Amino acid sequence: PIYNEQKYYDEKLEIELRSNMSYNEQKYQHGFKIALNKINQIESGELVNATLVESESENRPVDHYNLRMKEEKVAGKSLSQSLKQWESIKQFAKEQSFKHVVFNGIGGSYLGPFMLIQAMHGDEYNLKQQKEGRPSLHFVANTDSDAFSQLFQLIDVKQTLMVVISKSGSTAETATNTTIFQKLIGAESNKNMCAVTIPGSQLHQKATSQKWIGIFEMNEATGGRTSICSSVAMVPCAFAGLDFDNFIKGMSDMDDNTRQPVNNLAFMIAAMIDTQLSIKQKNMIILGYSDSLKHYYHYCQQLYMESLGKEYTHDGRIQPKGLTVYGGIGTAEQHAFMQQIQKGIDDSFVKFIQFQKRRFDDYEDEKAGTMGRQLLAFLKGTELALVQNNRQFMMITCKECSMYCIGQLIALEERIVTVLSALWDINAYDQPGVQDGKLAAGRVNKLSLAIEKQLTQCEGTVEEVMKAININEEPRLVESILNDFIFNSKYYKTNVKGSRKWENGRFYYKLAA
C-alpha cells in the first residue's frame, strides 16, 4: 500500500520521526504560538499551575524544564546547578556500605527511577549490581503487606538503607511503608534512613529531627510525574551506577530543539495526535522495540493521563479532555492486543520506538540473518500491516539505548504534553482526580477504625450489623471492611471473631466474642 509519509530527522540529535498521521501545518500556526508562549512562561518561572477553578489549581510555577536549562532563567535552577547536586549525591552513594537499598515512593517517585534502572541494566539488574559490587536495589510503592513482607524475608533489614522519596512525606502509601520499616529496624533506625523531599516538608522535619543519614532536596515546583530530572532520580541512579549527567544533558538538548518555532519535533507529534483526536477519540499505544523500553509506556501512561485528563479549561469551562495510554514491548505485547488494533475497532494509533544501534552482541539467525534483524522484521512487518489495514502509526527512532537518548525521549514526551495542554487550554500540572481518591481513602480509613472499635456480638445483613454497631455509612464500604475483618481478623485489635455465609444473593454475617 502507498501512503503519504511524514518524515523528520534531526542531524544533531540523531532522532527520526516517520508517520502516516498527517496534520494541517497552517491550521496549527496559531496554536504553536500559544504553545511557545506557554513553554516560555514555564521556563520564566511564571505561575502556570493555575486555572479559574480553585480545585483544579495548585497556584505555583512548574520548574522541571529549568532544572536542565543551560541558561539560568530562574535563580538557582539550571543544568549546571543540577549537575552540582548530582556530584554530591554520587559521593554520598559511594560512601555507603549497605548491602541493600529500598526506594520507597509512588507515582513519579517510583516509575521514573525504576524505568531508568531497568532500561540500562535489564530485568536482572540486581545480578548486574552484584557483579559490579553495588547493593541490591528494590522498590516499594504500594501498601501491599504481602509484597512488603516477602521482600524483608529475603533481605537483611539491618543491612538495608531505605530512601524515602516524597515531596511532602504525607503520601499515605509512602508514609506507611516508612513507619513499618522503622519499626522493623527498631532503635537507631535513623542510620538506615535517607530522604528526598522539599525543604520544610513533614518528611524533611522528620528526617532532620531524627538525624537521618541523608537528606536531598527537591523543589515544590517540581511535579512528581516530571521529577525524573531531579534528585528523585539522581539518588537511585547513583546507587545503580548510572550516568545521570548524560541523561539530563540529553533532556537539555531535546528541550533546545523543542523550544524553536520551526522544525519542532514536539509540535509535529502533538499536531498529529490532536488531529487524530479531533476526528475521533483514540488511545495511544506505545510499543518499544527493545526490552530496555519495557517500562517506558508505564512511565508515559502517568505523564500523559495525569497531565491531560482534565475536566476544565483554564477559564473554567467544562470540557473534559484526555488521552488513554497503554502499551509494552514489541513483539511480546503485540500478542496481547495487536489483533484488535489491526482487525477490530479502530480506536487506537501506535507509537513505535526503536534504537538504531544495538548495544550488545547479536546472534546468527537462519530466517533473518541475525536475532536483531528478526526483531527489525517484526517491527517493519507490524508497520506494513497497520498501513494495509488503514491504521495510524508513528515511528520514533533514536540512535541507541543510552542514558543520553532516553533523556531525549522523556524530554520529548514532556514537551508534547505541554503543547497538547496549550492546544486544549488546560492545566497539565495539577491532579485533582488523584486528590479525590486520596481524600476518599482517608474516609474509608476512619470508617475502618470506627468499625474495629465498635465491633460487638451481632449477626445479620450488612445493614443489620451497621445498626447494631451504630455505624452510618454506605453499606458497600462497610461490607468490604467486614469481609477483610473475617479473613484477616488476627490483625485487628479486637477479641470479636467473624464469619459469613451467602444466602439469597447476599452475605449474612455472624460476629461473636
Side-chain angles (χ1 to χ4, degrees):
I2 298 174
Y3 64 92
N4 294 322
E5 185 178 58
Q6 303 286 326
K7 285 186 177 181
Y8 171 93
Y9 182 70
D10 187 290
E11 199 165 10
K12 180 182 177 183
L13 298 179
E14 297 184 82
I15 189 167
E16 178 185 0
L17 170 70
R18 294 175 52 256
S19 179
N20 66 349
M21 297 165 62
S22 61
Y23 68 98
N24 184 329
E25 188 170 354
Q26 190 63 36
K27 174 186 172 183
Y28 280 94
Q29 288 308 303
H30 178 65
F32 289 164
K33 287 179 182 178
I34 294 173
L36 272 179
N37 183 57
K38 175 65 68 178
I39 290 169
N40 182 61
Q41 287 178 318
I42 293 171
E43 294 181 344
S44 298
E46 295 184 26
L47 196 152
V48 294
N49 184 349
T51 71
L52 291 181
V53 182
E54 188 176 343
S55 63
E56 304 279 318
S57 309
E58 293 179 328
N59 295 310
R60 60 188 181 212
V62 173
D63 72 357
H64 55 285
Y65 294 144
N66 299 99
L67 301 182
R68 66 247 193 174
M69 281 187 72
K70 298 174 180 71
E71 176 189 358
E72 190 170 313
K73 290 184 73 172
V74 176
K77 300 178 182 182
S78 66
L79 176 61
S80 62
Q81 292 291 341
S82 293
L83 291 174
K84 285 179 184 177
Q85 186 180 30
W86 165 240
E87 289 301 321
S88 69
I89 288 173
K90 266 201 308 184
Q91 185 60 37
F92 169 81
K94 192 181 296 183
E95 293 169 355
Q96 305 310 310
S97 57
F98 293 97
K99 291 183 178 179
H100 318 286
V101 180
V102 173
F103 302 108
N104 173 22
I106 198 166
S109 300
Y110 153 67
L111 294 171
F114 182 63
M115 175 195 66
L116 289 176
I117 291 170
Q118 189 279 332
M120 299 312 298
H121 292 335
D123 287 343
E124 307 301 332
Y125 54 83
N126 276 328
L127 294 179
K128 174 91 167 176
Q129 290 291 107
Q130 182 182 32
K131 185 176 181 180
E132 298 185 355
R134 293 190 295 266
S136 67
L137 307 176
H138 310 272
F139 292 84
V140 293
N142 204 357
T143 52
D144 185 329
S145 57
D146 285 344
F148 200 90
S149 178
Q150 279 181 312
L151 174 60
F152 288 103
Q153 287 175 22
L154 296 173
I155 64 176
D156 183 353
V157 68
K158 299 288 187 181
Q159 293 293 320
T160 299
L161 172 68
M162 174 172 275
V163 180
V164 184
I165 307 175
S166 174
K167 284 177 70 173
S168 65
S170 61
T171 303
E173 299 91 340
T174 308
T176 297
N177 291 335
T178 302
T179 300
I180 300 303
F181 179 78
Q182 288 193 284
K183 287 180 179 179
L184 291 176
I185 291 283
E188 298 187 327
S189 65
N190 62 301
K191 296 179 180 179
N192 295 69
M193 304 297 297
C194 173
V196 176
T197 189
I198 62 174
S201 71
Q202 180 179 317
L203 176 58
H204 193 277
Q205 293 174 29
K206 179 176 184 177
T208 302
S209 64
Q210 294 182 2
K211 298 181 180 179
W212 290 10
I213 63 170
I215 302 175
F216 299 103
E217 294 181 353
M218 62 181 295
N219 302 322
E220 186 176 19
T222 309
R225 57 187 172 277
T226 55
S227 63
I228 196 170
C229 57
S230 73
S231 55
V232 165
M234 289 182 193
V235 177
C237 284
F239 280 104
L242 298 180
D243 52 343
F244 180 87
D245 48 345
N246 281 328
F247 171 75
I248 199 170
K249 288 173 183 175
M251 300 190 89
S252 181
D253 288 347
M254 178 56 74
D255 286 350
D256 289 344
N257 169 286
T258 55
R259 197 178 288 120
Q260 305 305 317
V262 295
N263 295 322
N264 187 315
L265 184 56
F267 285 180
M268 294 176 65
I269 295 175
M272 290 175 182
I273 293 173
D274 184 61
T275 297
Q276 283 296 311
L277 299 187
S278 67
I279 300 169
K280 179 182 179 182
Q281 186 66 35
K282 289 191 175 184
N283 310 310
M284 179 167 71
I285 300 173
I286 298 177
L287 274 180
Y289 269 76
S290 166
D291 280 16
S292 299
L293 295 168
K294 181 175 286 187
H295 297 287
Y296 183 82
Y297 90 92
H298 199 184
Y299 178 85
C300 289
Q301 190 175 59
Q302 184 195 20
L303 176 64
Y304 278 86
M305 295 180 72
E306 196 170 63
S307 299
L308 300 177
K310 299 297 161 63
E311 183 178 8
Y312 295 96
T313 60
H314 275 107
D315 59 2
R317 288 174 290 121
I318 295 179
Q319 186 175 294
K321 288 289 185 180
L323 175 60
T324 301
V325 176
Y326 64 100
I329 53 171
T331 63
E333 267 76 8
Q334 286 175 236
H335 291 273
F337 47 69
M338 194 50 73
Q339 168 65 28
Q340 177 170 309
I341 303 310
Q342 298 280 15
K343 297 294 186 180
I345 57 175
D346 184 13
D347 65 350
S348 302
F349 64 91
V350 180
K351 178 193 284 184
F352 295 108
I353 299 174
Q354 69 162 340
F355 298 119
Q356 192 71 69
K357 183 179 179 182
R358 289 185 273 281
R359 275 199 294 170
F360 302 115
D361 291 340
D362 202 351
Y363 302 92
E364 287 189 15
D365 177 82
E366 290 183 5
K367 291 182 178 179
T370 69
M371 180 185 287
R373 283 154 63 191
Q374 177 67 80
L375 185 62
L376 176 64
F378 282 124
L379 169 60
K380 301 309 290 185
T382 304
E383 176 191 321
L384 288 170
L386 286 168
V387 173
Q388 179 179 319
N389 290 308
N390 197 28
R391 303 308 202 212
Q392 287 69 44
F393 77 91
M394 63 178 69
M395 177 89 66
I396 298 174
T397 303
C398 281
K399 179 182 177 182
E400 60 192 355
C401 180
S402 65
M403 288 290 280
Y404 179 83
C405 289
I406 294 176
Q408 288 181 328
L409 286 170
I410 296 298
L412 175 60
E413 304 286 10
E414 289 180 351
R415 283 290 215 229
I416 294 167
V417 165
T418 297
V419 176
L420 285 172
S421 71
L423 294 175
W424 299 347
D425 191 27
I426 59 173
N427 178 12
Y429 301 108
D430 67 335
Q431 48 286 326
V434 178
Q435 294 303 118
D436 289 349
K438 289 180 180 180
L439 292 173
R443 170 184 163 190
V444 177
N445 278 337
K446 289 180 181 178
L447 173 61
S448 181
L449 292 175
I451 290 173
E452 178 184 53
K453 183 179 179 180
Q454 292 165 226
L455 273 177
T456 186
Q457 183 169 323
C458 61
E459 59 182 275
T461 64
V462 64
E463 290 84 1
E464 290 167 339
V465 171
M466 287 170 60
K467 185 175 181 180
I469 63 176
N470 195 29
I471 292 291
N472 182 24
E473 250 293 1
E474 292 188 38
R476 60 193 175 89
L477 299 181
V478 176
E479 185 174 61
S480 294
I481 295 167
L482 289 177
N483 290 339
D484 185 74
F485 167 68
I486 287 166
F487 287 98
N488 302 288
S489 59
K490 67 179 181 179
Y491 302 109
Y492 284 70
K493 296 176 182 177
T494 176
N495 293 323
V496 175
K497 302 297 179 185
S499 63
R500 69 178 189 179
K501 62 180 179 179
W502 182 258
E503 284 185 6
N504 301 319
R506 63 190 311 176
F507 285 116
Y508 285 79
Y509 296 90
K510 185 174 184 180
L511 305 173

